Amino acid sequence: MDLETGVYQNYVKKESWRTVLTLAYQSLGVVYGDLSISPLYVYKNTFEEDIRHSETNEEIFGVLSFVFWTLTLVPLLKYVFIVLRADDNGEGGTFALYSLLCRHARVNSLPNCQLADEELIEYKKDSIGLTPKSGFGSSLKSTLEKHRVLQRFLLVLALIGTCMVIGDGILTPAISVFSAVSGLELSMSKEHHKYVEVPVACIILIGLFALQHYGTHRVGYLFAPVVLLWLLCISAIGLYNIIHWNPHVYQALSPYYMYTFFRKTQRGGWMSLGGILLCITGSEAMFADLGHFSQLSIKIAFTSLVYPSLILAYMGQAAYLSRHHNIESDYQVGFYVSVPEKLRWPVLVIAILAAVVGSQAIITGTFSIIKQCSSLGCFPKVKIVHTSSKIHGQIYIPEINWLLMVLCLAVTIGFRDTRRMGNASGLAVITVMLVTTCLMSLVIVLCWQKSVFLAIAFVFFFGTIEALYFTASLTKFLEGAWVPIALAFVFLIIMCVWHYGTLKKYEFDVQNKVSINWLLSLGPSLGIVRVRGIGLIHTDLVSGIPAIFSHFVTNLPAFHQVLVFLCIKSVPVPHVKPEERFLVGHIGPREYRLYRCIVRYGYRDVHKDDMEFEKDLVCSIAEFIRSGSTSPGHVNEDPSKDEDKMTVVGTCSSHTEGIQMSDDDAYNTDTAGPSELKEIRSPPPPPVMKPRKRVRFIVPKSPEINSSAREELQELMEAREAGIAYILGHSYVKAKQGSSLIKKLVVNYGYEFLRRNSRPSTYALSVPHASTLEVGMIYHV
């Protein structure tokens, strides 16, 4: 399937029951792996230090009550019934909420936005009546649009959530695998166990990250069965423990037991909430991975299987512990102690497999969110490998993968116990949830156009619950919770420095762009020799002529007969449809053969490879020439006023009735074609020349194009046949003289270090080195 068109996503969202149930089954391995393995470590972390399991059972029943209501209120009520509805054209996650807000209020931080972007189908799909109906909503919108400080705060808020997701991508594999392997201590002596647990966990983690480059789809068929088997296993064991040990444990689901828990444990009980919080780790994945599935499939999987299985598992552990107060082991409270002894080894194997699956899901999610940040100019460019030609969104980022592995191993070896790992993971999870709650309140008012009281009620209800857990997690700052804060701080600095440098660089381009009158004064030949071929001049500008072009003209003895100012930009929508991919226009008079082409991608779109992209680019310019020639008497009297006039043109596959391009061997003289089409061919090469590819445009007979357009098409075809050269600007960004010390540190050292160690902006196009020309230029920002 074509990744770019999102065919897979449209396909999976057909609401037939067979499709929905299939997706619900598949979501088990992708969405619920992390959430499903939380019974491994929730009770163990809760009772590790702050509270003790006594014979009155008030502690264990209180913890069970907290777990039940936390699972019910946060994943079930908040995410399943409310947050999942706030999708961005089928996509979810922190950046989806930020993207929605950018489209309903002009708070977008991308510098190269255009009014034409607001005409995109996905941009307007859910934006009927962009102005909020309520007076408060209108005033909130205008306030956000007027104050840059609020816009930056909103971006930083979204970036904090993103950084915590990345931190979770480091901590979740560590705690999941380590907790699964910790079951070995019930099967061997303590002396042997302490030498086995950490090495085994590290070996599994290294294997997990080493296999990432194969892609999720290679082993994806194993994921859902593993999680399904795990859920059935823990629910069956839980049901057995309930029936065999304490059938009345269901009474502990009453909120009264939360009151008795706090009454007895007091401060220790409040501090233990950091362990209880781990029961909802992975809940954010329901929203973040929405783009791969549908709302209905995720809801069905959670309500019919995941939620009841988890409740039974926690109830079963509580039932067992309520009858066992003196366990002859240091492993007094935990998952494996409640598993029947004969089943411990099989359950251990299933648990390790489930932990690997849960870790895989968060690693893939980390790759996806870093790609989104990079697309929106908030993260340095990295190498992105698409590991599946069929399943959208399955990507692999080598640099990030090995960084995650090193940090994950460092956490595992440094902590060597689930308590501190749990403190770290809990803080990361609850911070992401708080960010989601804050952004959702704005979505309720600005996007859904609901009452402000509904938004306040949402923030107050869920924000109070999450703030309680957040404060409890912060108390464990010195006992592991500092790790996600430190990681988030480092990644936030990287993102802010890169975003600031990108903005300043674009502002310099805008302030120093060349006027169209200067270009017109050069004449059609631009004052130099025009040679055969197409020159692609990469620029970030969406209007005007970049200053680097004047350097080209004054320093190079010749230029290509066709010049294209190419701008590849991201827009705040998940996907741009192929028929809206290109914006094409002339720069100067038609005989100059200068074009501007803006290529628009959504933050989850896949960039095509260089050969397919070149074909689409040339076809879009040819279609622009043809479509602009239907009025034969048109004359451009003042080209300087038409500089910013752009036409929306799709890819070759989207305008099947328009111009198509074909490459033939030079000696292939077969001219047969459809009767309704006529061909424009380049002249055959002399016999002494080496055989090469010939280019031809297949042009529809209707509507008829005029002679000037036909001549322009002929020249474009000959230029394409001669080859394409990529002309790139190699910029060095420096702070202006007199700038503050902080700005000099950020620009001269921070941004330049990141720029030198990141991929070039055109890396996604796989620009061939043999056809590349780089010209250096210093930017004083």
Side-chain angles (χ1 to χ4, degrees):
M1 296 181 187
D2 187 0
L3 285 172
E4 182 194 44
T5 58
V7 172
Y8 176 78
Q9 285 187 267
N10 295 332
Y11 168 76
V12 299
K13 293 180 181 178
K14 293 179 180 177
E15 296 298 323
S16 68
W17 279 108
R18 181 179 179 182
T19 304
V20 169
L21 293 177
T22 302
L23 288 173
Y25 169 73
Q26 293 174 346
S27 70
L28 294 176
V30 177
V31 177
Y32 297 111
D34 188 11
L35 184 62
S36 298
I37 58 178
S38 55
L40 284 171
Y41 43 77
V42 169
Y43 283 142
K44 183 174 176 61
N45 275 62
T46 304
F47 288 95
E48 187 79 28
E49 186 177 74
D50 302 304
I51 57 176
R52 290 289 179 267
H53 176 37
S54 66
E55 294 187 5
T56 62
N57 288 328
E58 288 181 325
E59 295 89 354
I60 191 66
F61 287 166
V63 172
L64 174 60
S65 184
F66 264 104
V67 168
F68 171 75
W69 286 106
T70 303
L71 277 171
T72 302
L73 294 177
V74 179
L76 185 62
L77 181 59
K78 176 185 172 182
Y79 280 95
V80 170
F81 290 107
I82 301 176
V83 176
L84 281 181
R85 295 178 57 226
D87 65 306
D88 181 12
N89 294 287
E91 297 291 340
T94 304
F95 263 96
L97 295 177
Y98 180 70
S99 175
L100 280 175
L101 293 172
C102 286
R103 301 211 302 274
H104 287 78
R106 298 184 186 277
V107 296
N108 188 12
S109 61
L110 290 174
N112 53 2
C113 291
Q114 298 170 276
L115 290 176
D117 298 338
E118 298 181 10
E119 299 300 319
L120 293 169
I121 293 175
E122 290 204 359
Y123 199 105
K124 301 193 300 180
K125 184 177 179 181
D126 56 355
S127 307
I128 300 173
L130 282 175
T131 304
K133 297 177 183 178
S134 65
F136 180 83
S138 300
S139 60
L140 177 63
K141 179 174 182 273
S142 60
T143 302
L144 286 173
E145 292 176 347
K146 288 178 182 177
H147 295 85
R148 291 291 299 273
V149 175
L150 295 178
Q151 296 173 20
R152 290 170 182 167
F153 174 77
L154 197 62
L155 175 64
V156 170
L157 185 65
L159 292 180
I160 289 174
T162 301
C163 293
M164 284 297 181
V165 171
I166 298 173
D168 198 25
I170 296 168
L171 297 166
T172 293
I175 187 174
S176 300
V177 173
F178 195 87
S179 298
V181 173
S182 66
L184 291 170
E185 67 180 281
L186 295 178
S187 304
M188 59 177 62
S189 64
K190 185 176 181 181
E191 290 75 16
H192 293 94
H193 168 259
K194 64 181 181 180
Y195 295 111
V196 171
E197 190 175 38
V198 173
V200 170
C202 290
I203 290 171
I204 293 173
L205 287 170
I206 291 173
L208 173 64
F209 284 100
L211 292 174
Q212 290 300 311
H213 71 280
Y214 288 109
T216 305
H217 69 287
R218 298 291 177 90
V219 290
Y221 66 93
L222 288 175
F223 283 11
V226 167
V227 177
L228 178 61
L229 181 61
W230 169 250
L231 289 171
L232 294 176
C233 177
I234 62 175
S235 58
I237 293 172
L239 192 60
Y240 167 80
N241 285 331
I242 293 170
I243 296 172
H244 189 263
W245 297 110
N246 190 352
H248 300 289
V249 73
Y250 68 89
Q251 296 175 354
L253 302 182
S254 169
Y256 171 76
Y257 284 88
M258 290 192 287
Y259 165 73
T260 59
F261 173 79
F262 271 135
R263 185 181 63 184
K264 181 176 182 179
T265 59
Q266 297 181 0
R267 186 175 185 274
W270 171 63
M271 294 179 68
S272 71
L273 291 178
I276 298 173
L277 164 65
L278 298 176
C279 71
I280 54 175
T281 56
S283 301
E284 187 75 18
M286 285 192 286
F287 185 45
D289 292 327
L290 181 60
H292 304 305
F293 303 97
S294 63
Q295 288 187 30
L296 186 57
S297 64
I298 289 179
K299 291 177 180 178
I300 289 175
F302 183 78
T303 55
S304 65
L305 182 61
V306 178
Y307 177 74
S309 297
L310 290 175
I311 299 299
L312 284 175
Y314 289 115
M315 288 177 65
Q317 289 186 56
Y320 179 88
L321 294 171
S322 68
R323 294 291 186 264
H324 296 79
H325 303 99
N326 297 312
I327 302 173
E328 296 180 1
S329 170
D330 291 335
Y331 195 92
Q332 293 184 358
V333 177
F335 171 75
Y336 287 106
V337 75
S338 65
V339 177
E341 191 171 348
K342 294 181 180 179
L343 297 178
R344 280 179 184 169
W345 276 106
V347 171
L348 175 66
V349 174
I350 298 172
I352 292 175
L353 291 175
V356 170
V357 171
S359 303
Q360 173 65 54
I362 191 66
I363 292 169
T364 304
T366 304
F367 291 158
S368 296
I369 201 163
I370 287 178
K371 178 183 180 294
Q372 294 178 26
C373 290
S374 181
S375 297
L376 295 177
C378 297
F379 199 86
K381 300 295 181 181
V382 290
K383 180 180 180 180
I384 296 175
V385 180
H386 295 271
T387 59
S388 175
S389 60
K390 295 182 178 180
I391 302 178
H392 178 87
Q394 290 192 1
I395 61 175
Y396 166 67
I397 304 177
E399 299 96 329
I400 301 299
N401 181 65
W402 302 122
L403 178 63
L404 291 180
M405 187 189 77
V406 170
L407 293 175
C408 191
L409 291 174
V411 168
T412 304
I413 297 171
F415 284 162
R416 295 191 297 276
D417 69 84
T418 57
R419 178 175 60 86
R420 287 183 289 180
M421 292 182 194
N423 293 337
S425 180
L427 184 62
V429 168
I430 200 62
T431 305
V432 176
M433 291 182 175
L434 275 171
V435 170
T436 300
T437 299
C438 296
L439 294 178
M440 268 300 301
S441 63
L442 294 176
V443 169
I444 290 173
V445 176
L446 296 177
C447 306
W448 291 357
Q449 302 177 6
K450 301 294 183 181
S451 169
V452 63
F453 297 106
L454 185 63
I456 292 174
F458 178 86
V459 170
F460 179 78
F461 184 75
F462 293 108
T464 302
I465 297 171
E466 292 161 359
L468 180 66
Y469 283 116
F470 181 76
T471 54
S473 296
L474 277 181
T475 60
K476 304 297 180 68
F477 179 83
L478 297 177
E479 299 170 26
W482 61 271
V483 172
I485 295 178
L487 291 172
F489 179 77
V490 172
F491 280 106
L492 185 63
I493 291 296
I494 291 173
M495 291 179 178
C496 290
V497 167
W498 182 261
H499 187 65
Y500 178 80
T502 302
L503 286 177
K504 290 299 179 182
K505 182 174 176 291
Y506 187 81
E507 290 174 2
F508 180 89
D509 279 334
V510 171
Q511 294 168 1
N512 293 274
K513 62 184 180 182
V514 180
S515 68
I516 187 67
N517 292 325
W518 172 83
L519 179 68
L520 296 175
S521 66
L522 297 177
S525 66
L526 303 182
I528 54 178
V529 177
R530 302 292 289 271
V531 298
R532 294 188 65 201
I534 298 177
L536 293 184
I537 303 175
H538 283 266
T539 175
D540 292 326
L541 290 177
V542 294
S543 65
I545 301 170
I548 203 165
F549 179 68
S550 62
H551 288 262
F552 290 154
V553 171
T554 54
N555 289 283
L556 296 178
F559 237 112
H560 300 86
Q561 66 189 105
V562 174
L563 289 178
V564 180
F565 291 88
L566 178 64
C567 174
I568 301 172
K569 57 179 282 189
S570 293
V571 289
V573 296
H575 303 283
V576 175
K577 294 185 177 298
E579 55 267 26
E580 301 176 303
R581 174 74 64 214
F582 295 94
L583 282 174
V584 186
H586 277 115
I587 296 181
R590 184 182 289 241
E591 59 269 17
Y592 280 39
R593 305 297 188 249
L594 265 63
Y595 305 92
R596 183 186 310 285
C597 187
I598 299 172
V599 191
R600 302 181 291 183
Y601 287 99
Y603 56 79
R604 297 206 60 155
D605 271 330
V606 177
H607 293 220
K608 289 187 173 183
D609 59 36
D610 56 323
M611 296 304 295
E612 194 172 358
F613 176 80
E614 287 178 5
K615 182 178 179 182
D616 279 342
L617 177 65
V618 175
C619 266
S620 68
I621 297 174
E623 181 64 19
F624 162 73
I625 295 170
R626 184 190 72 89
S627 61
S629 67
T630 53
S631 53
H634 175 73
V635 177
N636 191 3
E637 295 180 354
D638 189 357
S640 63
K641 294 183 179 179
D642 286 347
E643 181 195 356
D644 293 327
K645 284 189 176 180
M646 308 289 286
T647 301
V648 178
V649 184
T651 60
C652 292
S653 59
S654 66
H655 52 77
T656 53
E657 296 182 358
I659 288 183
Q660 300 293 315
M661 189 177 76
S662 176
D663 291 337
D664 292 331
D665 290 332
Y667 296 129
N668 181 7
T669 58
D670 183 12
T671 59
S675 58
E676 71 276 8
L677 302 176
K678 55 184 177 181
E679 301 171 1
I680 298 180
R681 287 175 172 271
S682 59
V688 295
M689 289 182 64
K690 183 180 178 180
R692 54 180 169 78
K693 289 289 185 182
R694 289 178 55 205
V695 178
R696 63 190 174 101
F697 289 135
I698 304 176
V699 186
K701 286 186 177 180
S702 178
E704 188 69 28
I705 61 176
N706 57 39
S707 57
S708 62
R710 182 170 293 278
E711 181 182 345
E712 193 173 356
L713 282 173
Q714 181 76 33
E715 190 166 350
L716 176 65
M717 180 179 54
E718 293 175 2
R720 172 64 182 88
E721 191 176 84
I724 295 180
Y726 292 82
I727 304 169
L728 313 178
H730 196 76
S731 58
Y732 297 88
V733 182
K734 300 290 183 183
K736 293 178 181 177
Q737 288 187 353
S739 299
S740 64
L741 178 62
I742 295 178
K743 184 176 180 179
K744 288 181 179 178
L745 289 174
V746 169
V747 175
N748 295 354
Y749 298 99
Y751 180 75
E752 269 300 293
F753 174 80
L754 294 175
R755 187 193 61 79
R756 286 195 304 268
N757 291 277
S758 65
R759 306 279 177 173
S761 59
T762 55
Y763 176 79
L765 294 178
S766 303
V767 176
H769 293 289
S771 304
T772 302
L773 175 64
E774 291 192 15
V775 176
M777 185 173 178
I778 298 178
Y779 286 64
H780 293 283
V781 299

